[in-house]
Amino acid sequence: MTTVDTPPAAAPPRKAATVTRPGDRIFANLSRGSGILLLIVMAAIAVFLTVRAVHAISQDHGNFLTTFEWTPSLNPPVFGIAVLAYGTVISSIIAMVIAVPIALGIALFITHYAPRRLGGPIAYVIDLLAAVPSIVYGLWGALFLVPHLRGLNLWLDDYLSWTLIFHKSDPNSAPRSLFTVGILLAIMILPIITNVSREVINQVPKMHQEAALALGATRWEVIRLSVLPFARSGIISASMLGLGRALGETMAVATVLSASPVLSAHILDPVGGTFSQNIVAKFGEADEFGRDALIASGLVLFVITLLVNGTARLIIARRKEYSGANA
């Protein structure tokens, strides 16, 4: 009986050692350092706001969350953010309700309906609107928008006052209200939401749209079934960017709004205020303790902004299957 010698098993091929180039190491370290620096800056801002806010809130003789007044210069000091928080949230909601559908419609028109020679100039004009300074919007709102909204305010009061939201307590008062602020903010955030949404919609794979067309879908069905699901997370991100500007807008709101420490459900009345408007209006005349009180209100706005962005990230994370990275 002859035995057959089996050849020894070949050793598995060794992986080639990866060589990292010096430029790659430098770029990786710079990127890592930039991320760490950003976290350090955010933490420093949070610590600064918290320390100054705690000092002010500890001496507040009112309830910081529910008091309407803002009088930190009195003895004893009394101040609260109820009116400011309400005005900031309501004006931002009005802006988003107006701006998001219009911005999405403009983005879809430029990308899917307008001919190239028309869509290009429209996109260019929208890009220019995004570069207009806030004070210019504020002056335009005070000198043009406010006088021309008087008729709309009266019409809303005549036909929709039964909703209480559009009831106007004094029909002769100037429309320097949260409703006017919301319209102005909608115009200001419209270019941001439109531009980002347009770029996201342009990233939708053409094969998705061509497949829908091949199955007999109309242009609107292609947008509804192929474009919007893919671009949903990007559109949400664009909306959150616009909301961030609406929450923190200062000069335009301060120029248009007739601020007062009154919380009213009637958005046509010239009352209320916002965090940013209150800070810019009171900072110059405030003493050191008054500045601490304003910083405390800034901390609340800081937290609201973080919560809004965190919520947006959670919504986007739930729609990862439609992200461009997974296409």
Side-chain angles (χ1 to χ4, degrees), residues 13-278:
R14 291 184 299 175
K15 293 183 179 180
T18 57
V19 179
T20 304
R21 297 178 180 179
D24 293 336
R25 288 197 299 269
I26 294 174
F27 181 77
N29 291 329
L30 288 175
S31 301
R32 188 180 298 110
S34 299
I36 295 173
L37 178 62
L38 177 62
L39 294 177
I40 292 174
V41 171
M42 292 290 292
I45 293 174
V47 170
F48 168 78
L49 293 176
T50 302
V51 171
R52 299 289 293 268
V54 168
H55 173 256
I57 295 174
S58 63
Q59 302 183 46
D60 185 10
H61 283 247
N63 189 307
F64 182 67
L65 297 178
T66 60
T67 300
F68 290 4
E69 300 176 51
W70 189 268
T71 54
S73 58
L74 294 182
N75 189 16
V78 177
F79 57 92
I81 61 168
V83 175
L84 306 179
Y86 175 80
T88 300
V89 172
I90 293 300
S91 60
S92 298
I93 290 175
I94 296 171
M96 295 295 290
V97 169
I98 297 173
V100 171
I102 296 176
L104 183 57
I106 295 173
L108 290 173
F109 175 75
I110 293 174
T111 55
H112 286 81
Y113 288 93
R116 186 180 299 272
R117 57 185 178 182
L118 178 61
I122 294 177
Y124 178 73
V125 171
I126 293 175
D127 290 338
L128 290 179
L129 288 176
V132 176
S134 299
I135 188 61
V136 175
Y137 278 112
L139 291 174
W140 176 81
L143 299 178
F144 179 85
L145 187 62
V146 169
H148 287 80
L149 281 181
R150 188 181 296 274
L152 177 61
N153 277 237
L154 293 176
W155 185 88
L156 291 173
D157 181 46
D158 289 339
Y159 294 97
L160 296 177
S161 60
W162 55 271
T163 63
L164 297 182
I165 298 175
F166 295 108
H167 174 70
K168 193 174 177 66
S169 301
D170 182 9
N172 296 321
S173 62
R176 294 180 173 271
S177 59
L178 293 176
F179 179 69
T180 303
V181 170
I183 294 176
L184 182 61
L185 291 176
I187 297 172
M188 296 179 68
I189 67 177
L190 186 66
I192 299 174
I193 303 176
T194 301
N195 290 339
V196 178
S197 299
R198 187 183 78 241
E199 294 299 327
V200 172
I201 291 172
N202 280 330
Q203 300 303 317
V204 177
K206 296 298 181 184
M207 289 190 302
H208 291 191
Q209 304 176 57
E210 292 171 357
L213 289 172
L215 292 174
T218 62
R219 184 176 298 183
W220 166 241
E221 289 173 336
V222 170
I223 293 173
R224 183 169 59 89
L225 300 176
S226 299
V227 175
L228 292 181
F230 182 91
R232 185 171 300 159
S233 61
I235 295 172
I236 293 173
S237 299
S239 302
M240 292 304 104
L241 283 174
L243 178 58
R245 181 173 186 183
L247 288 171
E249 183 53 47
T250 303
M251 293 308 300
V253 177
T255 307
V256 171
L257 182 64
S258 292
S260 63
V262 177
L263 193 153
S264 174
H266 310 318
I267 62 175
L268 299 182
D269 289 342
V271 296
T274 67
F275 286 114
S276 301
Q277 171 271 328
N278 186 62

